[in-house]
Amino acid sequence: MGPYDANDNKLPLRLLHTNTPPTTGLHVVEVHPAVAIWLWCRERRDPSASWEYKKSASVSDELWRLLMAVPDIADVLSTVSDQVPPSDDILDARVAFALGRLWLDHPGSVALLGGADHGTFLLPEVSKMREAFAIFVAGSA
């Protein structure tokens, strides 16, 4: 599988599994841009609207505009570009970048959800998210 299919102590990067950003070392976190987009935009879209931004440039463009209407997100994303992303992959990459920067620079706006036993990923900190995740973890035990 390659050099990264090894025990944690033999890898050059450490997978983070606590919500405290590190101050030294090389680390990695997982992100899920589609979930983040949904969490950030869900209350500002028509409930019947399509979320299939990978299949529709107009959906992708609308989601970008909604993201850019949130000041903290817009501040981070505008450091990369304030132009509509030319593809869904670039939208995903920008959202992944925003998750990381917000986690480091705006504590409380993004959280590293999960733990060493179930894996982790950065998500926007929204109401009831932690409770829902705890229910999910309890159900999978």
Side-chain angles (χ1 to χ4, degrees), residues 9-137:
N9 61 352
K10 296 189 185 212
L11 295 172
L13 305 169
R14 299 287 168 250
L15 176 65
L16 294 176
H17 52 82
T18 64
N19 197 34
T20 305
T23 56
T24 62
L26 300 173
H27 301 84
V28 64
V29 295
E30 186 168 346
V31 296
H32 198 311
V35 174
I37 291 168
W38 182 78
L39 288 169
W40 274 325
C41 298
R42 67 191 167 130
E43 293 179 357
R44 296 179 291 138
R45 293 190 82 223
D46 181 323
S48 64
S50 171
W51 287 92
E52 296 188 58
Y53 70 96
K54 295 212 171 264
K55 294 182 178 180
S56 169
S58 65
V59 173
S60 181
D61 293 356
E62 177 192 0
L63 294 172
W64 175 257
R65 285 190 294 281
L66 290 171
L67 291 170
M68 292 302 284
V70 179
D72 284 347
I73 299 169
D75 289 347
V76 169
L77 291 174
S78 65
T79 66
V80 178
S81 174
D82 58 0
Q83 300 299 309
V84 174
S87 73
D88 57 277
D89 290 332
I90 292 174
L91 174 61
D92 283 347
R94 290 182 188 174
V95 169
F97 173 77
L99 286 164
R101 287 286 8 138
L102 288 167
W103 186 54
L104 295 172
D105 299 340
H106 297 273
S109 65
V110 170
L112 188 60
L113 185 66
D117 293 339
H118 292 90
T120 60
F121 56 117
L122 288 176
L123 287 176
E125 186 72 76
V126 297
S127 175
K128 310 261 185 208
M129 179 181 64
R130 290 183 184 278
E131 294 89 343
F133 188 76
I135 291 167
F136 166 76
V137 169

